[in-house]
Amino acid sequence: MLTLQEHLIRMTTFILALLACLAVLCITVLSAVDDLYVNITILQSATAQGAVCLDGSPPAYHLDSGHGSGVRNWIIFLDGGSWCSSIPDCLNRSTGFLGSTKHMKRQGFFAGILYNSSEQNPEFYNWNRVRVKYCDGSSFTGDVEQVDPENKLFFRGARIFKAIMEDLWSKGMRSAENAILCGTSAGGLATILNCDKFKSLLPNDARVKCVADAGFFINGNTISGTSDIQEMYRRIVNLHGSAKNLPSACTSAMEPSLCFFPQNVVPYVQTPLFIINSIYDIWQIKNIFVPENLDPQHTWKDCKERINNCTFSQRILIQAFGVEFLKIFECLPPSFTRGYFLTSCYSHGGIYSPAYWFTASSPRLLHKTISEAVADWYFERAGFQYVDQYPCARECSLY
């Protein structure tokens, strides 16, 4: 029979062992969480090329290096965040993280297509994954030599793209076997506009393709019949000096600001391109179809947040926007190398969201998640060109 002292010793040993196990478990969990955050790289050398953010600070990106079979494969993700189309607008933007690296977090969160887990990102988890920070307000197209004298603003988005790609090239991208340029929203538009340029930077024998998420902004009218988005794009292109960095095949055929619209650029893109978009893109509903200046009584406020808050008449109008979106999209010339995944989700973007990219709740077309559709298309296992047959806008789980 054990003495009381021996019982106490055994109990103490058990408790210490249990605490040690819990400590290991906590460290493991915290490490897994920490793996989702990647330190920022401030590209100080880019300032010599004049490749700077709106406020003149150097550009930045986050890089999580590949390993194993993914060591020679690269995903470059371009952040989104709308645009600035006037000096006051850009000046305001330059005081935050969308216009200056001085205001950016030192670590970037990686999720969705950038996730490092084979369970949530089975095809690309071990690739070199890069998140390029967006701080120019022109979808990486601007290039004005003269600095705005009064406000000290720099319009150098195209130089930022070039400088970061050159830096990544020196860090191993020169030997890439597979590469994807992708982005969401303004980053999705930047992906379309820079797709062929990206291809030209990679080895000739590399498999290079582009994936544009929520970047197919249409030249659509507002509910009052005006084309506000076209006027905004004209101001952006003029202010940032973007014309010379838009696809020349497009700008030689039409007014340069019209080449900010994917419907006019995609026909000229030679590199294989996959387009992910909602027919009822909520950003376009909020900003192209029903901008705030046309809703002074805020009757659309709740509807703009969730489709389930919309009245019957609002739903009918949103449906009409979707019809217009599809009409424009279906006017694109056919392409065997192009893929597309058009949902009816009342949402904006998703490849950066775990729940949207690859989980049990992810939107599916032809029984495939966006992750599966993109991977099959990229590796040429199967093409994917499909439009959601759901008859109207619907809620989808994004987070």
Side-chain angles (χ1 to χ4, degrees):
M1 181 177 291
L2 296 175
T3 65
L4 177 60
Q5 184 177 10
E6 287 172 328
H7 272 298
L8 290 173
I9 291 172
R10 286 195 175 189
M11 183 63 70
T12 302
T13 303
F14 173 77
I15 292 172
L16 290 173
L18 180 61
L19 289 173
C21 288
L22 288 172
V24 170
L25 179 61
C26 288
I27 291 171
T28 302
V29 170
L30 287 172
S31 296
V33 172
D34 287 343
D35 284 346
L36 300 176
Y37 289 88
V38 179
N39 289 333
I40 199 169
T41 297
I42 307 291
L43 192 56
Q44 300 286 353
S45 61
T47 58
Q49 307 171 43
V52 292
C53 300
L54 284 168
D55 72 333
S57 58
Y61 64 84
H62 306 270
L63 165 63
D64 194 17
S65 297
H67 58 88
S69 61
V71 74
R72 290 197 173 184
N73 302 332
W74 291 76
I75 285 184
I76 313 298
F77 181 89
L78 305 177
D79 270 2
S82 193
W83 314 272
C84 61
S85 60
S86 68
I87 293 295
D89 190 14
C90 292
L91 186 60
N92 180 63
R93 190 182 179 97
S94 71
T95 62
F97 69 93
L98 285 173
S100 170
T101 43
K102 296 175 184 176
H103 302 287
M104 291 179 185
K105 293 180 179 178
R106 300 298 94 176
Q107 289 190 317
F109 186 71
F110 276 31
I113 197 171
L114 297 182
Y115 205 74
N116 63 352
S117 161
S118 59
E119 279 118 26
Q120 293 186 313
N121 190 22
E123 303 281 2
F124 310 114
Y125 73 97
N126 65 347
W127 288 29
N128 296 282
R129 288 158 292 109
V130 183
R131 181 180 171 187
V132 179
K133 304 303 291 180
Y134 180 40
C135 65
D136 66 274
S138 72
S139 284
F140 299 96
T141 63
D143 190 358
V144 177
E145 182 64 35
Q146 183 180 0
V147 180
D148 176 68
E150 184 178 348
N151 300 293
K152 301 295 187 293
L153 288 173
F154 297 76
F155 303 105
R156 306 281 181 77
R159 296 193 196 185
I160 290 174
F161 183 84
K162 182 174 183 290
I164 289 179
M165 293 306 117
E166 288 177 348
D167 193 59
L168 296 174
W169 190 84
S170 71
K171 291 182 176 177
M173 203 166 71
R174 73 179 85 181
S175 303
E177 295 176 353
N178 295 287
I180 295 175
L181 178 68
C182 61
T184 292
S185 192
L189 174 60
T191 296
I192 295 171
L193 299 177
N194 289 286
C195 185
D196 286 340
K197 189 181 297 183
F198 179 70
K199 173 72 169 68
S200 71
L201 300 172
L202 277 294
N204 290 332
D205 59 348
R207 181 194 281 126
V208 182
K209 301 186 180 184
C210 303
V211 179
D213 175 38
F216 199 90
F217 300 95
I218 66 169
N219 189 0
N221 289 332
T222 66
I223 52 174
S224 65
T226 58
S227 183
D228 292 11
I229 186 69
Q230 183 175 324
E231 174 57 23
M232 185 179 81
Y233 277 180
R234 186 191 63 78
R235 293 196 305 269
I236 293 168
V237 169
N238 289 342
L239 178 64
H240 292 266
S242 300
K244 58 181 172 288
N245 294 304
L246 299 173
S248 59
C250 180
T251 56
S252 63
M254 62 188 73
E255 199 273 316
S257 65
L258 292 176
C259 296
F260 222 64
F261 288 102
Q263 65 198 69
N264 297 324
V265 175
V266 169
Y268 299 105
V269 176
Q270 300 297 308
T271 307
L273 172 67
F274 196 99
I275 298 170
I276 302 163
N277 227 94
S278 171
I279 302 162
Y280 308 101
D281 185 285
I282 194 170
W283 189 94
Q284 297 191 53
I285 298 295
K286 289 179 178 181
N287 297 278
I288 295 178
F289 191 51
V290 193
E292 285 190 18
N293 64 303
L294 295 182
D295 185 31
Q297 303 301 318
H298 305 293
T299 56
W300 281 79
K301 183 177 183 296
D302 292 338
C303 176
K304 286 180 175 182
E305 297 305 317
R306 293 191 65 195
I307 191 63
N308 292 342
N309 295 335
C310 299
T311 65
F312 178 77
S313 60
Q314 287 172 332
R315 285 173 178 263
I316 294 298
L317 290 170
I318 290 170
Q319 183 99 4
F321 177 87
V323 169
E324 180 66 13
F325 182 98
L326 278 179
K327 180 181 176 182
I328 290 172
F329 191 88
E330 289 168 354
C331 283
L332 295 176
S335 170
F336 291 113
T337 64
R338 190 183 307 137
Y340 52 85
F341 192 111
L342 302 185
T343 76
S344 58
C345 297
Y346 198 55
S347 62
H348 181 64
I351 66 170
Y352 199 65
S353 161
Y356 202 75
W357 177 243
F358 187 68
T359 65
S361 62
S362 298
R364 281 172 166 76
L365 298 182
L366 294 180
H367 307 293
K368 289 184 180 180
T369 63
I370 293 175
S371 172
E372 291 165 330
V374 168
D376 283 351
W377 166 82
Y378 179 80
F379 292 110
E380 294 159 18
R381 298 188 290 245
F384 198 94
Q385 298 182 337
Y386 199 73
V387 178
D388 194 349
Q389 298 302 303
Y390 195 78
C392 56
R394 61 191 174 100
E395 298 283 0
C396 294
S397 174
L398 299 186
Y399 303 100

